[in-house]
Amino acid sequence: MKTKHILFLVIFILSFAGLSRSQCYTVLSVKGEIVLEKTGQPIKEMDEICANDKLVFSSTDSKAAVLSSEKGRFIIKMSGKKRGNDLTTFVKSVLFQGTGNLSSRGTVSLETEFEDEYFVTGINKLQIDSKNYPMDSSNFFFLRYKYKDKEVNKKLKFSNDTLIMKKENIYNVDGENIKQSLVESVSLYYYEKDKNTSTKISTFKLIFANEEKLKNELNSYIRLLKNSGKDKSYIEDEVLLYIMDVYGKINVDNAKDWVYKNLEMY
């Protein structure tokens, strides 16, 4: 009987140890700053954090992408219930399954394409409905934003029915490149010369990727996925969903082109 009790205890301990390991996560990236309370240091890429670790968020906008080898990708962020002055919480309390939608294809609807945070990898090329929005020297799109209390208008480039967004053309004032972080939001307008009207379509935060940083970050994630035996199709979807979860809405076609030109997908 005693032997059975000892055996049961050993099995229980081993099972508990295995469960504890499954509740730990590898940090993939961090946006903002999140401090691991037990070390007093900000978490960073490739750190390991566990469900019962306490985190201190520098702000409610801080978040991190993490990976469980068994359960997949998660996002650590302050939930609606936790938002407030108390920015200290357990990992397990702010852990959310990664989400996303990869349905964007072909001609875009300008009314739904842009959201609160719109993230661009490289150059964004959007096929526009040319019947409703013809583009030529008299009809075109432009962005308007405020920079240091100055109103800035930036005419967007185009080619036939394709609207083009490039960082160096947009975030440039008086011939000088500016920090995009100093621009709170941009508004997209459509100008029609014959009517002498500028129609506002949407307002959003336009963010262009730090491409070298993003390459390193995503290549590390891809290597983890390859080492865990994931196939090419799964990795492609995961990389695109990861970008959306961490950085904001993307145009899937443009992002996919950038991924295959810049990352270690093969």
Side-chain angles (χ1 to χ4, degrees):
M1 182 68 70
K2 186 175 180 180
T3 303
K4 288 184 179 180
H5 285 163
I6 293 172
L7 181 61
F8 176 79
L9 182 61
V10 170
I11 293 172
F12 175 79
I13 291 172
L14 290 175
S15 299
F16 182 78
L19 178 62
S20 297
R21 284 195 296 273
S22 72
Q23 292 176 324
C24 291
Y25 307 86
T26 300
V27 177
L28 301 173
S29 71
V30 185
K31 185 178 180 182
E33 183 178 270
I34 304 173
V35 173
L36 182 60
E37 189 180 64
K38 68 183 180 183
T39 64
Q41 298 297 315
I43 61 173
K44 59 185 184 302
E45 291 175 25
M46 298 299 111
D47 282 353
E48 184 179 79
I49 58 176
C50 298
N52 290 321
D53 285 337
K54 268 193 174 182
L55 301 175
V56 182
F57 287 72
S58 63
S59 76
T60 55
D61 294 325
S62 297
K63 61 182 176 180
V66 299
L67 180 69
S68 162
S69 58
E70 297 178 359
K71 300 177 181 179
R73 179 174 49 85
F74 292 82
I75 300 298
I76 288 176
K77 60 182 179 179
M78 298 299 285
S79 67
K81 294 180 181 179
K82 293 291 293 182
R83 291 179 183 272
N85 295 325
D86 183 10
L87 300 181
T88 302
T89 188
F90 290 102
V91 168
K92 62 187 177 184
S93 299
V94 288
L95 197 64
F96 300 89
Q97 188 76 51
T99 58
N101 186 342
L102 300 179
S103 62
S104 176
R105 290 292 185 274
T107 303
V108 303
S109 168
L110 292 174
E111 289 73 20
T112 58
E113 173 70 10
F114 305 103
E115 291 185 349
D116 292 341
E117 291 191 346
Y118 189 79
F119 188 71
V120 177
T121 51
I123 299 172
N124 217 40
K125 297 181 179 180
L126 304 174
Q127 188 178 354
I128 305 300
D129 180 356
S130 57
K131 291 182 179 179
N132 291 324
Y133 296 107
M135 291 184 287
D136 51 42
S137 59
S138 300
N139 304 279
F140 53 83
F141 292 94
F142 70 93
L143 291 176
R144 175 175 291 165
Y145 60 83
K146 281 191 175 182
Y147 174 70
K148 293 184 176 180
D149 296 324
K150 177 180 179 181
E151 187 173 86
V152 178
N153 293 315
K154 287 291 177 180
K155 181 180 177 181
L156 295 177
K157 295 181 178 294
F158 60 89
S159 176
N160 298 318
D161 65 348
T162 301
L163 185 65
I164 301 171
M165 292 182 169
K166 297 176 68 175
K167 180 181 178 181
E168 56 267 34
N169 294 335
I170 294 170
Y171 289 127
N172 185 291
V173 177
D174 298 328
E176 298 288 336
N177 292 331
I178 65 171
K179 291 183 178 180
Q180 57 182 335
S181 60
L182 298 178
V183 177
E184 185 176 341
S185 64
V186 302
S187 293
L188 178 67
Y189 287 83
Y190 181 66
Y191 175 73
E192 297 172 274
K193 185 175 181 179
D194 290 345
K195 298 179 182 178
N196 193 28
T197 59
S198 295
T199 304
K200 182 177 176 180
I201 296 172
S202 60
T203 297
F204 54 99
K205 188 170 182 64
L206 176 61
I207 308 165
F208 286 86
N210 178 332
E211 293 189 55
E212 286 306 311
K213 178 180 180 297
L214 189 62
K215 286 179 192 177
N216 292 333
E217 186 179 312
L218 292 176
N219 278 330
S220 295
Y221 185 35
I222 290 169
R223 286 192 288 271
L224 287 173
L225 293 175
K226 286 181 177 178
N227 290 339
S228 65
K230 303 301 183 184
D231 62 29
K232 178 182 171 182
S233 176
Y234 179 92
I235 293 174
E236 177 187 289
D237 285 350
E238 268 300 298
V239 167
L240 294 173
L241 291 170
Y242 171 98
I243 297 173
M244 292 175 68
D245 275 339
V246 176
Y247 292 103
K249 185 176 180 183
I250 57 173
N251 179 273
V252 172
D253 295 329
N254 282 287
K256 185 182 289 188
D257 287 343
W258 183 89
V259 163
Y260 274 92
K261 288 177 183 176
N262 292 279
L263 302 182
E264 301 167 4
M265 292 296 293
Y266 298 102

